[in-house]
Amino acid sequence: DAGVTQSPTHLIKTRGQQVTLRCSPKSGHDTVSWYQQALGQGPQFIFQYYEEEERQRGNFPDRFSGHQFPNYSSELNVNALLLGDSALYLCASSFRTGVRNTEAFFGQGTRLTVV
Amino acid sequence: TQLLEQSPQFLSIQEGENLTVYCNSSSVFSSLQWYRQEPGEGPVLLVTVVTGGEVKKLKRLTFQFGDARKDSSLHITAAQTGDTGLYLCAGESTDSWGKLQFGAGTQVVVTP
């Protein structure tokens, strides 16, 4: 059973560019959440997608946007990259039961470096 | 800004010693999770605690959730080099299911 997979694993972009990161959830999961983890910090919640809609959002600017596809996979897009966007971007998947979610499983992350 | 405060930030011990890491908040959580993360990898879930006062044991690891569901601790008995990693606690609130609020983590290094 494949777990959460993310691509690419590493990425280098120039300031001002745009980037798209991808995530395939664990089999059977329908909810995808994205987190940003700066060096030496814990992950910070960016947003969550369920039924192809953004359901919750953390304290991130509109430069951060996302999408969820019918097969539950998801993309994270970041526009107008800043040096401060350099971080490990983590995708987590879970299954929604009623109004709750099951435990989250994380992918290995995408290391984004902005130069 | 981390809503959950973890202490200590860094811990270095020798194999065979015991250690405890703490996770504190002023907020009440419906559940609290502990993860271990290794360099360049995503966090791996160790345990979830949901009931105030709950104690869970996972081999040499003991997890406790505070009575008021605001704090938690992780105790490792007879640490091994394989326990080295970043230990993260994450809380979940009833008004935001699926949204995890993480602490900054405790880096644990176990030397032979």
Side-chain angles (χ1 to χ4, degrees):
Chain A
D1 175 27
V4 180
T5 58
Q6 292 185 241
S7 63
T9 55
H10 295 83
L11 202 52
I12 299 175
K13 287 288 190 178
T14 303
R15 196 169 39 181
Q17 285 188 315
Q18 178 263 344
V19 69
T20 298
L21 310 181
R22 296 176 174 81
C23 172
S24 292
K26 181 178 170 63
S27 177
H29 285 184
D30 58 6
T31 303
V32 173
S33 300
W34 287 91
Y35 292 81
Q36 180 195 65
Q37 186 176 22
L39 206 59
Q41 298 293 319
Q44 297 277 354
F45 178 80
I46 303 175
F47 43 53
Q48 179 188 80
Y49 277 84
Y50 171 68
E51 290 187 333
E52 302 180 47
E53 289 188 13
E54 183 183 295
R55 299 293 179 167
Q56 297 187 77
R57 189 177 183 92
N59 189 26
F60 280 80
D62 292 344
R63 297 187 297 108
F64 289 77
S65 63
H67 189 77
Q68 185 179 35
F69 299 93
N71 67 352
Y72 308 118
S73 66
S74 177
E75 288 182 350
L76 163 65
N77 301 293
V78 186
N79 294 323
L81 284 167
L82 304 174
L83 297 179
D85 295 330
S86 295
L88 181 68
Y89 287 84
L90 295 163
C91 169
S93 75
S94 58
F95 177 73
R96 177 159 291 197
T97 60
V99 295
R100 297 191 56 173
N101 284 77
T102 59
E103 293 166 334
F105 287 82
F106 283 81
Q108 83 283 4
T110 293
R111 171 68 64 186
L112 172 65
T113 302
V114 182
V115 298
Chain B
T1 304
Q2 309 287 163
L3 189 63
L4 286 161
E5 298 287 335
Q6 289 191 240
S7 62
Q9 290 183 308
F10 181 82
L11 195 54
S12 180
I13 61 171
Q14 288 193 313
E15 215 169 14
E17 293 182 331
N18 302 332
L19 68 100
T20 302
V21 299
Y22 301 92
C23 175
N24 295 291
S25 175
S26 58
S27 300
V28 175
F29 292 104
S30 58
S31 71
L32 196 137
Q33 289 149 31
W34 284 93
Y35 291 83
R36 182 170 69 210
Q37 185 178 25
E38 301 196 16
E41 300 291 326
V44 175
L45 180 66
L46 298 174
V47 78
T48 299
V49 286
V50 297
T51 305
E54 181 177 4
V55 177
K56 278 193 174 179
K57 291 190 177 183
L58 186 67
K59 295 183 180 179
R60 295 176 295 101
L61 277 60
T62 301
F63 304 86
Q64 185 164 7
F65 202 12
D67 291 341
R69 290 186 289 137
K70 292 182 180 181
D71 55 86
S72 181
S73 64
L74 157 61
H75 181 80
I76 301 179
T77 303
Q80 301 176 356
T81 54
D83 295 326
T84 293
L86 179 68
Y87 288 82
L88 294 159
C89 65
E92 188 177 28
S93 303
T94 53
D95 60 351
S96 55
W97 290 113
K99 174 183 176 181
L100 296 175
Q101 300 175 76
F102 280 86
T106 294
Q107 180 63 52
V108 172
V109 175
V110 182
T111 56

